[in-house]
C-alpha cells in the first residue's frame, strides 16, 4: 500500500461543490482505554485515504499502537483486546503518535478531504483529549479557524434508513452488504468498513450522494438535531432524561 503521507501530498485539493459520492475520504478509527474523552486515551488508531476512483486498490493506510501511560479499563480491554503490559511493551510514545495523526488529518483538511469516522464525535473528541493532555496544538489551530469537514456514516444511516435493529458498525455493515476485512473492534478493520459504507449508502440514497462538501456539515448537524428531537420524545414517553449534546 502507498505511504499515507505521500498519498496525501499527491491527493488533489477538492472543490467545495464536490459531491460526497465522488469525494476522497480519510477514514479514522481509534481503540481507547475507555469511553471518556479527556480522561481516557487512544491506544490504537488507523487513518486510511480512499480515492473514489480506485477504491481498495489505491488505499493508503497508517496505523499506530500507542502507550497511553494510563491503565486500560477492564471493559475496554475486553472489547479491543489490548492490555497494559502489551501497550507498555509495544506502544510508541503518545506525543509522537498523536502529533503525526493530527498533522495528517490537518493535511487532508487543507485539501478539503473529509475525515470519516463511524460515530465521529467519539473519535474526534478522543483525539482532542489526547492533544490537550500532551499539550499539542489543538485541531482548530491547525485548521486556521476552518470548520473540520467530517463524515459520520452512523448519523447518515440514522437519518435516511428507517430500518429496525441495532446500528453498531458490525450490524450496519451487514445491512449494507459490506464485508469486513478483519475482526470488528480492530481499528484498521473498522476504518475500512466505515469508509466502505459510503458507496452503498450513496447508491441506495442518491440524495446523500449529492451532498456537497460545502453543505456537508450543515446537513449532518440538521440531521442530528432531527434525530435527537425524535429520540427525546421517545425518552420522555418513558420518563427518561433527554439527550442534550450536539454532534460536532
Amino acid at each position: 500500500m502507498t505511504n499515507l503521507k505521500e498519498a496525501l501530498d499527491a491527493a488533489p485539493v477538492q472543490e467545495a461543490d464536490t459531491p460526497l459520492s465522488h469525494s476522497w475520504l480519510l477514514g479514522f478509527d481509534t481503540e481507547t482505554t475507555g469511553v471518556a474523552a479527556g480522561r481516557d486515551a487512544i491506544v490504537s488508531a488507523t487513518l486510511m485515504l480512499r480515492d473514489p476512483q480506485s477504491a481498495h486498490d489505491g488505499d493508503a493506510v497508517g496505523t499506530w499502537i500507542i502507550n497511553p501511560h494510563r491503565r486500560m479499563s477492564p471493559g475496554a480491554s475486553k472489547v479491543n483486546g489490548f492490555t497494559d503490559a502489551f501497550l507498555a511493551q509495544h506502544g510508541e510514545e503518545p506525543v509522537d503518535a498523536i502529533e503525526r495523526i493530527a498533522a495528517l488529518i490537518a493535511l487532508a483538511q487543507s485539501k478539503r478531504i473529509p475525515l470519516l469516522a463511524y460515530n465521529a464525535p467519539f473519535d474526534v473528541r478522543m483525539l482532542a483529549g489526547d492533544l490537550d493532555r500532551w499539550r499539542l496544538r489543538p485541531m482548530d489551530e491547525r485548521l486556521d479557524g476552518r470548520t473540520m469537514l467530517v463524515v459520520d456514516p452512523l448519523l447518515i444511516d440514522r437519518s435516511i434508513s428507517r430500518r429496525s435493529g441495532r446500528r453498531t458498525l458490525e450490524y450496519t455493515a451487514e445491512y449494507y452488504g459490506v464485508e469486513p476485512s478483519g475482526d470488528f473492534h480492530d481499528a484498521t478493520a473498522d476504518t475500512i468498513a466505515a469508509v466502505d459504507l459510503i458507496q452503498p449508502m450513496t447508491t441506495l440514497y442518491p440524495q446523500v450522494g449529492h451532498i456537497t462538501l460545502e453543505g456537508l456539515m450543515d446537513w449532518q448537524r440538521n440531521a442530528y438535531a432531527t434525530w435527537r428531537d425524535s429520540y427525546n420524545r421517545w425518552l420522555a414517553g418513558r420518563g427518561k432524561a433527554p439527550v442534550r449534546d450536539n454532534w460536532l
Side-chain angles (χ1 to χ4, degrees), residues 99-134:
E99 173 59 34
R100 289 205 306 279
I101 292 167
L104 289 165
I105 292 172
L107 175 56
Q109 292 287 311
S110 74
K111 297 191 169 195
R112 211 179 273 113
I113 296 174
L115 186 71
L116 181 147
Y118 196 85
N119 189 22
F122 176 82
D123 298 288
V124 170
R125 289 165 185 161
M126 289 301 302
L127 177 61
D130 273 5
L131 288 169
D132 182 64
R133 174 179 298 112
W134 301 110

Side-chain angles (χ1 to χ4, degrees), residues 10-163:
V13 176
Q14 302 199 114
E15 299 295 334
D17 62 355
T18 301
L20 181 58
S21 58
H22 291 76
S23 177
W24 289 63
L25 298 165
L26 184 66
F28 182 44
D29 188 71
T30 64
E31 299 297 332
T32 61
T33 61
V35 297
R39 185 185 71 202
D40 287 304
I42 296 170
V43 300
S44 174
T46 295
L47 288 171
M48 186 196 75
L49 182 65
R50 170 67 58 82
D51 176 351
Q53 298 301 316
S54 56
H56 285 256
D57 291 341
D59 288 348
V61 180
T63 62
W64 293 263
I65 301 295
I66 304 168
N67 181 353
H69 294 286
R70 60 194 57 230
R71 290 190 177 279
M72 291 289 303
S73 73
S77 183
K78 184 176 180 180
V79 169
N80 60 40
F82 288 109
T83 64
D84 296 330
F86 178 89
L87 294 169
Q89 180 177 356
H90 299 284
E92 67 176 291
E93 287 303 302
V95 170
D96 298 331
I98 298 300
E99 173 59 34
R100 289 205 306 279
I101 292 167
L104 289 165
I105 292 172
L107 175 56
Q109 292 287 311
S110 74
K111 297 191 169 195
R112 211 179 273 113
I113 296 174
L115 186 71
L116 181 147
Y118 196 85
N119 189 22
F122 176 82
D123 298 288
V124 170
R125 289 165 185 161
M126 289 301 302
L127 177 61
D130 273 5
L131 288 169
D132 182 64
R133 174 179 298 112
W134 301 110
R135 299 182 180 180
L136 299 168
R137 278 202 306 153
M139 289 306 304
D140 59 351
E141 287 187 13
R142 296 169 189 266
L143 302 182
D144 297 324
R146 300 188 308 274
T147 299
M148 181 184 284
L149 281 176
V150 178
V151 178
D152 188 344
L154 170 60
L155 174 56
I156 293 171
D157 178 58
R158 284 196 305 212
S159 176
I160 60 176
S161 170
R162 296 295 176 260
R163 66 188 176 89

Side-chain angles (χ1 to χ4, degrees), residues 16-18 149 210-222:
D17 62 355
T18 301
L149 281 176
H210 294 153
I211 300 169
T212 64
L213 299 183
E214 185 176 38
L216 180 62
M217 296 305 288
D218 283 344
W219 190 96
Q220 289 175 108
R221 286 170 180 147
N222 291 335

